[in-house]
Amino acid sequence: SSAASDVYKRQVLHGLDNTRDDGSEDPDGDGFSNLEEFRLGANPRDPSEPRTTFFISISGNDQNPGTADAPWRTIGHAVNQAAELLDALERPGVIPASLRELADETRITLRAGAGVFQEDVTLVSGIRLQGAGTANTTVLGSVTMARFSSLLDLRVKEPVQARTALVEVDTGFVLLQRVTAEGLGGGS
């Protein structure tokens, strides 16, 4: 079958109206337009698609699908997978007017479970990294944040005598909530 007929079949399968422009509509209320969900191969009438929350665990495996039952192992892998999903959306960044809008712009949540993740992390625009609390989830390394990224509920700790910035903001408009940074002299 041709690519055009495959597109038509997906439109009909998901109940889209090919007689009018409904690409900007969001019938399932999940924050993704029909066009964005179509690009991702998701059902625009199912609020659970596309999946926007992924899981990371120190006992996970980067070959897993990133679900709660089969999490990824490294934050870096999770960020790369989330970045591919965001790239598929081709969503241009818009500077938010408030922190609430910033939280709304964060499209993908990466939930890191309890444990120590020994790696440097670079968050791209649109990704929220959320731990299981500052006493439970630790990134042993630095975190670099792009605009529209968020860091919540975790501790960032300097590796022994690394002497680097723990949390660095690459470009403005980031969200930090319940984050502890320890290093450069051993303090918080």
Side-chain angles (χ1 to χ4, degrees):
S1 68
S2 72
S5 67
D6 289 343
V7 168
Y8 178 76
K9 286 176 190 172
R10 276 198 345 212
Q11 286 177 327
V12 171
L13 175 69
H14 296 311
L16 298 177
D17 185 350
N18 65 347
T19 64
R20 64 181 183 83
D21 183 4
D22 59 355
S24 63
E25 295 176 12
D26 180 15
D28 59 7
D30 64 1
F32 289 89
S33 70
N34 285 340
L35 180 59
E36 289 172 326
E37 293 205 44
F38 181 78
R39 286 180 179 152
L40 294 170
N43 182 346
R45 303 228 181 267
D46 183 349
S48 68
E49 290 185 27
R51 192 160 55 102
T52 58
T53 300
F54 299 91
F55 297 85
I56 312 158
S57 169
I58 59 171
S59 62
N61 183 317
D62 285 343
Q63 301 305 310
N64 288 343
T67 61
D69 293 332
W72 290 317
R73 167 65 181 96
T74 62
I75 296 170
H77 177 77
V79 169
N80 289 339
Q81 297 302 305
E84 287 181 22
L85 178 60
L86 290 168
D87 285 346
L89 293 174
E90 298 178 22
R91 183 181 176 93
V94 178
I95 295 175
S98 69
L99 286 180
R100 179 69 198 140
E101 288 178 4
L102 171 60
D104 290 342
E105 277 301 311
T106 305
R107 302 297 295 260
I108 306 294
T109 298
L110 304 176
R111 293 193 182 271
V116 177
F117 295 87
Q118 192 168 345
E119 58 185 299
D120 291 328
V121 175
T122 301
L123 297 179
V124 299
S125 182
I127 295 180
R128 170 186 298 136
L129 176 59
Q130 184 168 9
T134 58
N136 299 315
T137 305
T138 300
V139 173
L140 188 61
S142 64
V143 177
T144 302
M145 301 177 70
R147 72 182 178 139
F148 304 137
S149 64
S150 302
L151 195 59
L152 299 94
D153 303 314
L154 55 81
R155 175 173 59 161
V156 181
K157 188 172 181 180
E158 172 189 38
V160 177
Q161 298 182 349
R163 302 289 178 217
T164 60
L166 292 179
V167 177
E168 180 179 345
V169 178
D170 186 36
T171 56
F173 302 108
V174 300
L175 179 65
L176 294 166
Q177 288 183 339
R178 298 171 302 280
V179 175
T180 303
E182 296 178 15
L184 296 176
S188 297

